[in-house]
Amino acid sequence: MAGRILIADNVPTNRIILKVKLAAAFYDVTQASSGEEALTLARDKRPNLIILDGNLGDMSGDEACRRLKSDPRTRHIPVAIITPTQRPDAKISALKAGADEFLSKPLDELTLTARVRTLMRASATSEELRRRNETAHALGFSEAAQSYETPGRITLIGSTTEEAMSWRAGLKGMVHDDITIERADHVLEAIYHGDVSDLYVVSAQAGGSRDGLRLISDLRARQATRNAGIVVVHGQQDRHEALMALDLGANDLITRGADPEEMALRLRTQMRRKKEADLLTLTLDEGLRLATRDKLTGLYNRHYAIPHLENMIEQARENQKHFAVMLIDIDKFKAVNDTFGHGVGDAVLVEVAKRLRDTLRSMDLLARFGGEEFLVCMPMTSLVEARTVAERLRTAICSQPATVTADGTPVTVSASIGLAMGGASGPAPSDIDTLLEIADRALYAAKAEGRNQVTLGSYAA
């Protein structure tokens, strides 16, 4: 399944129609017929997304949302509230109640699934942050501080400078972050020189027809802005433009001419999410770094990886999701040390670690597991996805020299990778020892078959 969704509506027909639409996209859907039932199921099932009708019979969708967001067990779950199309006040009310999104009736299937995909991405980041905090707690360290008091930075990129200035005027007094205005054709230059924002509000017509959409792709492709929040302002009737923006990586959409208060509320939500994503990439604290990081490569070490993997197994068992585990070993690494010395060997390890880290997602775990052995754990990953990533990792390692010796000799290495799958139903293993044993056997099989290749554990052949 692509993810777990809880839908709540006191009208059975509405629930059935919505479930059919979501099930067609292979989401696992649970239904609730009242607000109280939705609150109970949210605590018990821990879905990835909750969709509430504005009227749940025993309470409003806004009230249910407020209660979900006030409960530590459910506050991290994205919530969407279904509102009447002709009720702008209902949309503002939903956002004020803490909703991450509102959906207007009648629900259009393409728009619905595009919005759901975006909210699922936000949910994945939030869940990974919680998982890492739980891993730190299991190691005896305090959880990462989650203070968002420091103002962020927002860049407005309108179709014209006048449009961006009108946005800034509308936000005055409602958003306390630093706001700048930039021309579309100067944004990438500014980023190149280190002028980076937390959020970008982009007109879909910025710089000309479709150039705003192209800018989304550029922002997502650059390391400095890969995790920035992107909010796209689009035309009232341009549905295709809006859906394309979401699929290109936009975090949210605003219809041109919307109430400034709606824009302010949406930007606050995106700023909170951006700072959560920042926490995901930072060390939880210096003590945790010293205890759990390999000094040479800066990667997590075995001490951190084992409880993190235990947590991932438990999450997969609860969520019925697959995950991948890989053991990666540099081929003939002893020969590198013997021929060029340990200093060159260390340089190779550092460069291989960097290439692995640059290839993986922020939610994936990468650890130095032994001398020249690395561990990769990928949550919410199918077998097809895992094999594709494993090949990409192998290629990244051997595609060019890892280092050059003092006399100019290039040192190129390759790697063998053993892959094991865990989680969900079926024959996949569900304990650490079994997973690592399968991955280890697959790794040795890759070496025995000629090295520099990926081998899948035999249980899934």
Side-chain angles (χ1 to χ4, degrees):
M1 290 290 182
R4 292 168 295 113
I5 300 176
L6 169 63
I7 57 176
D9 195 314
N10 68 331
V11 179
T13 304
N14 292 346
R15 295 198 304 272
I16 293 171
I17 292 173
L18 185 55
K19 179 176 181 178
V20 169
K21 290 180 177 180
L22 294 172
F26 298 97
Y27 291 108
D28 183 8
V29 179
T30 301
Q31 301 180 62
S33 59
S34 67
E36 287 294 346
E37 184 181 8
L39 297 174
T40 300
L41 288 172
R43 290 190 294 266
D44 294 343
K45 301 290 187 180
R46 304 291 179 88
N48 304 111
L49 171 63
I50 300 172
I51 300 177
L52 306 172
D53 188 71
N55 179 11
L56 300 176
D58 57 343
M59 68 181 74
S60 68
D62 290 356
E63 174 60 23
C65 181
R66 278 190 287 269
R67 291 175 62 176
L68 287 166
K69 294 300 184 179
S70 66
D71 188 334
R73 295 168 292 181
T74 56
R75 65 173 52 144
H76 65 282
I77 304 173
V79 175
I81 297 179
I82 301 173
T83 64
T85 302
Q86 304 302 323
R87 288 279 309 281
D89 60 317
K91 299 173 183 180
I92 298 297
S93 178
L95 294 173
K96 285 184 173 180
D100 298 83
E101 185 54 270
F102 58 75
L103 303 169
S104 298
K105 295 178 180 178
L107 295 176
D108 170 79
E109 188 167 348
L110 290 178
T111 303
L112 171 66
T113 54
R115 287 288 194 177
V116 166
R117 285 195 297 270
T118 302
L119 291 169
M120 285 294 189
R121 289 199 299 266
S123 177
T125 297
S126 180
E127 283 193 5
E128 179 60 16
L129 179 62
R130 291 174 57 247
R131 184 183 297 117
R132 293 198 178 190
N133 282 339
E134 288 167 4
T135 300
H137 184 71
L139 290 170
F141 296 95
S142 60
E143 295 186 354
Q146 298 193 28
S147 173
Y148 306 136
E149 295 177 359
T150 305
R153 192 164 186 266
I154 301 172
T155 292
L156 307 179
I157 310 160
S159 57
T160 63
T161 300
E162 290 73 22
E163 181 178 45
M165 291 176 67
S166 71
W167 294 345
R168 183 169 63 181
L171 293 170
K172 187 175 181 180
M174 291 190 289
V175 173
H176 302 294
D177 302 293
D178 297 329
I179 298 179
T180 61
I181 293 175
E182 189 63 86
R183 282 172 42 186
D185 56 348
H186 288 175
V187 173
L188 299 183
E189 180 182 356
I191 293 169
Y192 177 80
H193 291 293
D195 189 6
V196 178
S197 289
D198 297 293
L199 301 183
Y200 292 87
V201 182
V202 183
S203 168
Q205 286 81 35
S209 178
R210 295 289 176 87
D211 282 0
L213 300 182
R214 189 175 300 114
L215 180 57
I216 297 172
S217 298
D218 283 330
L219 291 171
R220 284 287 173 251
R222 281 162 171 73
Q223 180 67 35
T225 54
R226 186 169 297 163
N227 294 320
I230 301 175
V231 178
V232 173
V233 180
H234 65 95
Q236 180 76 31
Q237 304 300 324
D238 202 339
R239 172 169 163 269
H240 177 73
E241 177 185 85
L243 298 183
M244 184 181 296
L246 290 177
D247 285 334
L248 286 173
N251 301 92
D252 203 357
L253 302 174
I254 299 177
T255 304
R256 184 168 285 107
D259 190 315
E261 186 175 13
E262 179 187 335
M263 178 179 281
L265 290 167
R266 288 184 179 277
L267 292 182
R268 288 178 202 165
T269 297
Q270 293 306 321
M271 185 62 74
R272 173 179 54 79
R273 288 182 184 170
K274 170 58 169 59
K275 293 193 174 185
E276 282 185 352
D278 288 344
L279 279 175
L280 187 61
T281 59
L282 294 175
T283 308
L284 299 181
D285 56 46
E286 187 60 23
L288 181 59
R289 173 180 289 276
L290 293 174
T292 63
R293 295 280 184 172
D294 172 58
K295 291 181 180 179
L296 177 64
T297 63
L299 301 181
Y300 288 113
N301 58 24
R302 191 185 191 104
H303 181 60
Y304 180 92
I306 293 299
H308 185 91
L309 183 53
E310 287 176 342
N311 198 350
M312 187 178 295
I313 289 172
E314 184 61 31
Q315 292 275 337
R317 185 179 294 117
E318 292 178 1
N319 300 342
Q320 287 296 292
K321 293 290 189 68
H322 283 105
F323 64 91
V325 173
M326 303 177 201
L327 286 176
I328 304 173
D329 191 83
I330 300 176
D331 296 326
K332 300 182 178 179
F333 184 71
K334 184 176 183 299
V336 173
N337 280 331
D338 292 344
T339 304
F340 302 107
H342 288 278
V344 171
D346 286 350
V348 168
L349 288 170
V350 170
E351 178 60 23
V352 168
K354 179 181 181 299
R355 294 181 189 181
L356 294 174
R357 183 169 50 235
D358 290 347
T359 306
L360 294 166
R361 306 170 298 183
S362 61
M363 69 173 66
D364 300 327
L365 174 73
L366 172 62
R368 186 181 177 193
F369 216 50
E372 66 269 26
E373 190 171 76
F374 299 86
L375 173 73
V376 172
C377 301
M378 299 182 65
M380 295 182 289
T381 302
S382 68
L383 175 57
V384 172
E385 292 168 334
R387 295 195 73 156
T388 300
V389 172
E391 286 292 346
R392 194 180 302 144
L393 294 172
R394 184 192 62 78
T395 301
I397 292 169
C398 68
S399 59
Q400 55 186 333
T403 190
V404 177
T405 64
D407 64 3
T409 303
V411 180
T412 300
V413 296
S414 63
S416 300
I417 302 178
L419 170 63
M421 297 297 298
S425 57
S430 59
D431 64 272
I432 286 182
D433 291 341
T434 303
L435 276 167
L436 294 179
E437 182 181 351
I438 291 171
D440 197 49
R441 286 202 306 264
L443 171 62
Y444 276 94
K447 288 185 173 294
E449 292 167 10
R451 299 185 174 87
N452 193 25
Q453 59 186 282
V454 177
T455 300
L456 177 64
S458 59
Y459 72 93

